[in-house]
Amino acid sequence: MSYIDIQNINFAYHPKRPILQNLSLSIDKGQWIAILGHNGSGKSTLAKAIIGLLEPDFGTIDIDGMTLSPTTVYEIRKKIGIVFQNPDNQFVGVTVRDDIAFGMENLGVPQAEMLEKIDFYAEKVGMKAFLDKEPAELSGGQKQRVAIAGILAMQMDAIIFDEATSMLDPTARRELMDYIRELHNEGLTIIMITHDIEEALWAQRLVIIKDGTVFRQGTREELLKEPVTFIEAGLELPVGLQISNALKQMNALSLELEEHLWESSLKK
Amino acid sequence: MKNVIIGQYIPGSSFFYHIDPRTKIIAVVVLMVATFLLETIWQVLIGFGIALILIIAGRVPIRKIVKGLKPLYVLLLFTLVFQIAFNRVGTIVLDATMQISPFSILFMIAATIIWRLLASFKKFSLLLFFAYLVGLFFIMKNLAFSPLWTTWQLTIYDQGLIMSGFVIIRLLIIITLSTVLTLTTKPTELTQGLESLLRPLKAIGLNSEDFALIISISLRYIPTILDEANKIMNAQASRGADFAEGRLKDKVVQVISLLVPMFIIAFKRSEELADAMESRNFVPGKPRTRIHDLKFNYRDLITTVITVLCLAGSILVKVL
Ligand SMILES: Nc1ncnc2c1ncn2[C@@H]1O[C@H](COP(=O)(O)OP(=O)(O)OP(=O)(O)O)[C@@H](O)[C@H]1O
Ligand SMILES: [Mg+2]
């Protein structure tokens, strides 16, 4: 049985406008998957359903053998953390230290243990020197790392990143991606929500969402063989793949060139 | 607009910084009550002396306290004018005939212009203002020439001066006390102190923990929201809006055009924040542990003793 098992969920904010429709998806423990989809395709809605911020109108979500329900939701939130898009809107504490502590305080972790963990995980995400800083003094990338430290300190199994890099500059984005890879290597399950194909290509498995349901899924190699899938799902191809695609249509793509373009898209 | 840090807290390590915030809050409230028990100018002067000794001993920068008084200049001045104009008790210390004529009006306008021109010397603003008042007095008393339009009598009684001194010094003590509190206590500590003090109110249904969390989140978001307001203002200024000038009606329109997006963003923000908090296992009203601990130490004892002595002293002088 997979770690996260989503079966046939439906969800609508307004009865007349369904957002998620018969969506099923399984995610294995320790996997890094990317959930891709155009704006408004329902990715954030899916993420909120997984951690029980929204209750599906229909269908079930099983996590680590537990079915998500109002009674299990608190257990599930001890296993899965989420980093949202806007770094400012998830920084609860007055200082970095308070923010990393927030989740642990909610779980009733004893004070001595909290202080130890704050130091350890702040060090881990490279924010040890900033523990007493206020959010106004931090960059977006630093705030996102604080959010990660807060989640790690709660010893989670999985982290959902809901477009967590989209408000960062290219350097900070790259750093965060490198850092996420490290977390994955340490055994965390990573669910990366994005509409950026290049970012999604870091994952082992890609799931493309369109109109609130799984449109196509597979390994990145499988999906890269049919770039047209991305276009059908309303996504924008990375430049390398766009060129490769155009050349293919003109029958002008040599095997060498194709390989080269692929490599450049895959090179991480 | 970056790095707006809320509160007047300035980092330091003197005695006052190491007192438990609860002790500090209670001591300040008690000392304020004690101040209001004082009845004569000598008593408040002694009180003020004690306050000064304490802040010097605690190495609180006096400059910062003077700055804390700024918003109250008008109130202090009003007290002075009110007492001088209406207090008719005691002996007369000054009885002068004031004269108004076209000349004296011209002089007064000139004095006002000079005063405003010198206003750029912010350091001396208070001094300049008093010089200006003295100048007006001098003009009205001596520089009228003819033709006189009207005259009036300025009569100052000693009790008027003493009473205004009393009221002003009492106000000074109170401001000093509260400024020392906010200068030496982090906003987080203040909220935590309040939370702890308000805990008994749980009996009447007020959850002090949630209350403290609300305050600390508001504190945390004020800089962000100011930053946002600044961004929106810049965006609107780049499209031709002018926040500094324009008629009142234009200004109202501009403020509304600032408030509407601010509200929309604030609502969206609070919704996202609520999601973030919930996803990090926050459940309103559920007991939480805290990383900051409040602990009493010997300094709290000293503070309590001094506070009690001050209160006892002021009760004593009232009763005797
Ligand atoms: N709180 C809400 N109330 C009503 N409708 C909503 C709400 N949140 C989202 N929607 C709508 O649901 C749809 C899916 O939103 P969702 O945020 O899940 O999309 P998304 O795939 O995350 O998009 P994006 O890439 O822009 O983040 C959108 O059409 C959106 O307008
Ligand atoms: Mg989204």
Side-chain angles (χ1 to χ4, degrees):
Chain A
M1 194 155 144
S2 13
Y3 186 66
I4 298 176
D5 213 354
I6 300 167
Q7 275 176 24
N8 274 315
I9 58 166
N10 285 270
F11 179 82
Y13 291 101
H14 303 292
K16 285 195 189 123
R17 249 191 91 228
I19 304 292
L20 302 180
Q21 306 184 60
N22 286 325
L23 189 147
S24 301
L25 180 65
S26 348
I27 300 166
D28 288 332
K29 193 157 194 164
Q31 207 172 40
W32 180 345
I33 86 154
I35 296 180
L36 269 161
H38 62 82
N39 287 103
S41 55
K43 306 180 297 287
S44 299
T45 309
L46 173 63
K48 285 181 190 167
I50 295 176
I51 50 164
L53 290 172
L54 301 172
E55 199 179 342
D57 302 323
F58 185 80
T60 55
I61 300 177
D62 289 297
I63 289 161
D64 204 10
M66 267 185 293
T67 301
L68 183 61
S69 74
T71 47
T72 57
V73 68
Y74 301 113
E75 278 312 304
I76 281 162
R77 286 186 195 148
K78 288 181 196 165
K79 294 167 184 288
I80 302 181
I82 181 163
V83 180
F84 291 99
Q85 175 174 25
N86 189 331
D88 253 319
N89 296 355
Q90 51 188 316
F91 203 107
V92 186
V94 180
T95 63
V96 170
R97 191 193 305 280
D98 291 287
D99 193 65
I100 298 179
F102 182 72
M104 290 191 283
E105 289 178 329
N106 292 335
L107 291 182
V109 177
Q111 193 194 35
E113 190 183 332
M114 274 199 276
L115 291 173
E116 222 170 82
K117 281 189 175 165
I118 290 171
D119 275 358
F120 181 80
Y121 289 104
E123 174 88 67
K124 198 157 185 249
V125 298
M127 292 297 292
K128 183 97 182 269
F130 297 85
L131 276 177
D132 289 310
K133 294 264 189 261
E134 303 186 12
E137 302 171 273
L138 304 177
S139 71
Q142 289 173 327
K143 281 179 224 171
Q144 295 298 56
R145 278 188 278 155
V146 172
I148 294 175
I151 290 172
L152 294 179
M154 289 194 281
Q155 250 98 45
M156 302 264 184
D157 300 335
I159 306 185
I160 304 174
F161 292 90
D162 187 356
E163 307 201 36
T165 62
S166 65
M167 290 177 82
L168 307 183
D169 61 56
T171 330
R173 182 180 298 202
R174 174 86 207 188
E175 274 173 19
L176 192 64
M177 291 304 290
D178 280 331
Y179 190 69
I180 293 172
R181 170 142 65 197
E182 249 175 67
L183 295 177
H184 175 241
N185 289 341
E186 284 170 23
L188 259 84
T189 308
I190 307 285
I191 301 163
M192 176 123 211
I193 293 176
T194 176
H195 55 239
D196 182 317
I197 296 177
E198 279 182 76
E199 207 168 274
L201 291 175
W202 290 59
Q204 299 165 308
R205 191 158 72 98
L206 276 62
V207 177
I208 302 176
I209 306 266
K210 189 187 171 191
D211 301 328
T213 194
V214 176
F215 175 65
R216 177 88 171 80
Q217 55 178 311
T219 63
R220 55 182 181 189
E221 286 75 13
E222 279 166 10
L223 287 178
L224 278 172
K225 281 195 191 115
E226 36 188 293
V228 72
T229 322
F230 295 113
I231 299 168
E232 282 169 4
L235 295 160
E236 206 169 312
L237 287 176
V239 184
L241 284 180
Q242 273 177 23
I243 297 173
S244 146
N245 215 24
L247 290 174
K248 206 184 255 167
Q249 271 169 11
M250 296 189 296
N251 283 323
L253 189 64
S254 74
L255 210 64
E256 250 165 76
L257 183 59
E258 184 174 1
E259 241 156 49
H260 182 74
L261 288 170
W262 266 44
E263 297 255 298
S264 72
S265 297
L266 282 171
K267 198 169 67 196
K268 298 293 167 205
Chain B
M1 212 28 117
K2 248 200 143 81
N3 298 343
V4 214
I5 286 161
I6 287 305
Q8 301 171 290
Y9 177 79
I10 38 172
S13 62
S14 73
F15 186 83
F16 289 132
Y17 287 87
H18 299 290
I19 308 173
D20 186 293
R22 291 169 294 185
T23 316
K24 261 194 270 192
I25 295 170
I26 292 178
V28 164
V29 172
V30 170
L31 288 175
M32 282 183 181
V33 171
T35 311
F36 273 98
L37 291 176
L38 302 177
E39 277 170 338
T40 68
I41 180 107
W42 293 112
Q43 291 169 5
V44 289
L45 272 175
I46 292 171
F48 189 56
I50 296 175
L52 275 183
I53 292 172
L54 284 178
I55 58 176
I56 291 169
R59 279 176 283 144
V60 179
I62 300 205
R63 216 163 16 89
K64 292 278 177 183
I65 293 180
V66 174
K67 228 170 143 191
L69 286 173
K70 272 248 166 78
L72 290 158
Y73 284 169
V74 176
L75 187 61
L76 295 179
L77 192 77
F78 181 77
T79 313
L80 192 69
V81 170
F82 186 84
Q83 288 291 342
I84 286 175
F86 295 108
N87 199 318
R88 297 260 170 277
V89 186
T91 54
I92 293 172
V93 284
L94 181 96
D95 194 13
T97 310
M98 308 301 256
Q99 304 165 319
I100 309 264
S101 73
F103 278 109
S104 63
I105 288 189
L106 272 183
F107 281 127
M108 283 194 273
I109 292 174
T112 310
I113 291 173
I114 294 173
W115 173 56
R116 289 322 301 164
L117 283 180
L118 292 174
S120 53
F121 296 100
K122 288 224 170 58
K123 263 191 189 162
F124 304 109
S125 63
L126 196 60
L127 205 67
L128 281 169
F129 183 66
F130 276 106
Y132 170 65
L133 290 184
V134 171
L136 289 187
F137 175 76
F138 182 77
I139 290 166
M140 284 194 276
K141 190 165 180 303
N142 301 320
L143 299 180
F145 312 115
S146 55
L148 282 186
W149 276 350
T150 170
T151 63
W152 52 285
Q153 202 66 20
L154 177 67
T155 321
I156 300 178
Y157 290 80
D158 66 345
Q159 282 304 315
L161 288 179
I162 291 174
M163 267 313 283
S164 58
F166 171 78
V167 174
I168 288 172
I169 294 170
R170 195 166 65 178
L171 216 61
L172 282 180
I173 300 179
I174 285 164
I175 307 294
T176 308
L177 288 172
S178 58
T179 314
V180 167
L181 178 68
T182 50
L183 280 178
T184 62
T185 322
K186 284 185 197 152
T188 37
E189 284 179 330
L190 269 182
T191 16
Q192 213 185 349
L194 272 179
E195 173 193 335
S196 175
L197 290 173
L198 293 178
R199 210 163 278 161
L201 292 185
K202 211 162 196 166
I204 60 158
L206 181 99
N207 188 338
S208 70
E209 272 194 31
D210 287 353
F211 176 72
L213 193 69
I214 291 168
I215 297 180
S216 75
I217 288 178
S218 318
L219 287 176
R220 181 250 165 279
Y221 275 96
I222 288 170
T224 318
I225 286 172
L226 286 181
D227 203 30
E228 206 140 65
N230 208 34
K231 268 188 212 145
I232 296 175
M233 269 162 77
N234 282 341
Q236 287 175 348
S238 73
R239 278 182 264 133
D242 187 346
F243 284 92
E245 260 138 65
R247 286 176 302 149
L248 184 68
K249 193 178 139 244
D250 298 337
K251 277 193 182 166
V252 169
V253 171
Q254 274 153 10
V255 167
I256 291 174
S257 70
L258 177 67
L259 283 183
V260 170
M262 293 282 303
F263 262 102
I264 294 174
I265 294 172
F267 274 117
K268 189 167 162 356
R269 196 187 276 293
S270 58
E271 215 170 291
E272 286 183 20
L273 184 67
D275 277 347
M277 287 169 64
E278 250 191 89
S279 72
R280 289 164 74 183
N281 288 292
F282 178 73
V283 183
K286 197 179 143 204
R288 317 167 62 223
T289 44
R290 308 297 298 266
I291 44 164
H292 303 287
D293 239 358
L294 295 179
K295 279 204 188 79
F296 293 114
N297 56 31
Y298 74 94
R299 294 186 186 86
D300 298 283
L301 192 65
I302 298 175
T303 312
T304 312
V305 170
I306 294 179
T307 310
V308 169
L309 282 180
C310 288
L311 182 66
S314 54
I315 291 175
L316 220 64
V317 295
K318 183 160 175 93
V319 175
L320 290 183

